[in-house]
Amino acid sequence: QVQLVESGGGLVQAGGSLRLSCAASGAIFSMKAMGWYHQAPGKQRELVAVITSDGTINYADSVKGRFTISRDSAKNMVYLQMNSLIPEDTAVYHCYARAVSRPYYSAEINYWGQGTQVTVSS
């Protein structure tokens, strides 16, 4: 099993910056991907950014040029640097991981953190 814990959310003015961190723990055999999704009230959870084990990165169109995802594979950490924040970025940001871990050594499983609130005021 894998546990994901996010940190770094908060309240920020439009145009400001925030850095989110996510720590993965557990008996991880192979981390396949880590990233971030966000969910605003009344809306579905949407991809923000994901980085795979081979280094491939996908960003939502709405955050390209403003957000940067990075990882520390040795520590099973993933980060999201958010710059030029706008009110539309307001949401709960959930850390995401796809991993093979004990006891499911032959299965890739998706994991989600509980989320951290990001609020951008105008």
Side-chain angles (χ1 to χ4, degrees), residues 26-48:
I28 302 169
F29 177 74
S30 179
M31 185 70 76
K32 301 298 185 181
M34 296 190 75
W36 298 90
Y37 287 69
H38 67 192
Q39 186 169 23
K43 297 183 179 180
Q44 65 182 343
R45 187 175 297 183
E46 297 180 328
L47 170 74
V48 177

Side-chain angles (χ1 to χ4, degrees), residues 73-93:
S73 298
K75 297 181 179 179
N76 285 322
M77 297 279 293
V78 66
Y79 309 91
L80 187 68
Q81 179 66 46
M82 304 186 292
N83 298 327
S84 302
L85 285 161
I86 58 177
E88 290 76 14
D89 296 321
T90 296
V92 176
Y93 284 71

Side-chain angles (χ1 to χ4, degrees), residues 45-65:
R45 187 175 297 183
E46 297 180 328
L47 170 74
V48 177
V50 171
I51 182 167
T52 64
S53 59
D54 67 357
T56 301
I57 296 173
N58 292 314
Y59 291 105
D61 288 341
S62 61
V63 308
K64 288 180 180 177

